Amino acid sequence: MPNTSIEELLTRKEVERILKISRSQIYNFLRSGRLTAYKIGGNLRFRKEDINSLIKANPYVRRKATRPKTEESKEKIEFSGDKKAISSGRSFNKVLKISENLDLSFDNQKGIYTIGDVMEIDRQEFENENPHIIAVKLRRRFKKILPDKFSLSPDEAEDILNKMEPKFKEFARRIFIQSMQKQ
């Protein structure tokens, strides 16, 4: 009979204590696919090996901001009017990082919301909408813009949209609060 061993499984609370993170951070790791869980008897269980892999995959390395020295290694940015359009020279990870760092702002004079240099939306489009509907509208609008503006394939654009879901919800909450304060 072959020698088989059963790995020791950890509960969610044990993982919280080991990693010293909150429950919501664990669920964020699960949603992003960086951590795997197994449902056994209605409860989540985590393999020690997966926890170790997560730790090894996320080392903190402080990087200096340096400028590329050669003309070939510089990233190209094309300008169309005020807007920056990212050329196809950008990798998926760089576009993902740009997308995750986008922020929402509001221009009172024009009455528009802007999400970084990527998207402008008329304030009236969100009047009296609940945050969930606003988040869905933001995602749909961003989905139309993302493949062309960043020269991504539809699959890459979908991956970025999924990873930006918390951003859309945050922006929707901020828009909702601002529209309620306006009334």
Side-chain angles (χ1 to χ4, degrees):
M1 184 169 191
N3 186 5
T4 59
S5 64
I6 297 176
E7 297 178 33
E8 185 177 342
L9 298 175
L10 303 170
T11 66
R12 179 190 44 82
K13 288 184 180 185
E14 289 171 331
V15 173
E16 286 175 26
R17 279 194 302 269
I18 290 169
L19 297 178
K20 295 178 177 47
I21 60 174
S22 67
R23 177 185 350 184
S24 62
Q25 287 173 309
I26 289 175
Y27 287 118
N28 286 339
F29 281 135
L30 290 170
R31 268 190 297 270
S32 69
R34 292 188 288 179
L35 185 62
T36 304
Y38 304 90
K39 200 158 197 171
I40 300 171
N43 299 310
L44 290 180
R45 296 291 184 254
F46 301 85
R47 293 181 355 187
K48 281 186 175 183
E49 180 182 311
D50 292 338
I51 303 301
N52 287 330
S53 297
L54 176 70
I55 293 168
K56 288 177 185 173
N58 292 301
Y60 174 75
V61 178
R62 187 173 181 179
R63 295 187 177 112
K64 283 186 172 182
T66 59
R67 291 184 169 233
K69 294 187 177 161
T70 64
E71 201 61 37
E72 295 173 340
S73 64
K74 289 184 181 178
E75 295 169 350
K76 299 174 187 172
I77 299 179
E78 303 164 2
F79 293 91
S80 56
D82 305 321
K83 304 276 178 242
K84 292 179 189 174
I86 312 304
S87 75
S88 61
R90 296 277 180 142
S91 71
F92 171 79
N93 289 331
K94 289 181 183 177
V95 174
L96 177 61
K97 190 170 187 171
I98 289 167
S99 300
E100 288 174 344
N101 291 327
L102 290 174
D103 200 15
L104 176 82
S105 59
F106 180 70
D107 184 340
N108 278 324
Q109 292 176 343
K110 294 181 183 177
I112 59 171
Y113 294 101
T114 58
I115 297 180
D117 291 331
V118 177
M119 190 165 66
E120 288 184 351
I121 303 165
D122 189 350
R123 176 187 209 159
Q124 294 175 348
E125 198 172 323
F126 298 120
E127 292 291 320
N128 302 319
E129 294 282 5
N130 74 38
H132 176 72
I133 302 281
I134 294 171
V136 169
K137 285 183 176 182
L138 287 173
R139 181 184 167 97
R140 283 184 189 151
R141 182 73 64 86
F142 203 73
K143 185 175 184 177
K144 288 179 186 175
I145 293 171
L146 195 60
D148 296 330
K149 192 143 189 112
F150 292 104
S151 301
L152 296 173
S153 72
D155 291 339
E156 290 174 326
E158 192 63 33
D159 286 347
I160 288 175
L161 287 169
N162 290 336
K163 291 179 180 177
M164 282 193 64
E165 198 67 37
K167 273 273 197 210
F168 292 131
K169 290 177 182 177
E170 174 195 338
F171 292 163
R173 185 184 53 77
R174 287 170 49 193
I175 290 169
F176 177 74
I177 289 169
Q178 190 173 25
S179 69
M180 289 295 113
Q181 290 173 344
K182 180 186 167 216
Q183 293 178 355

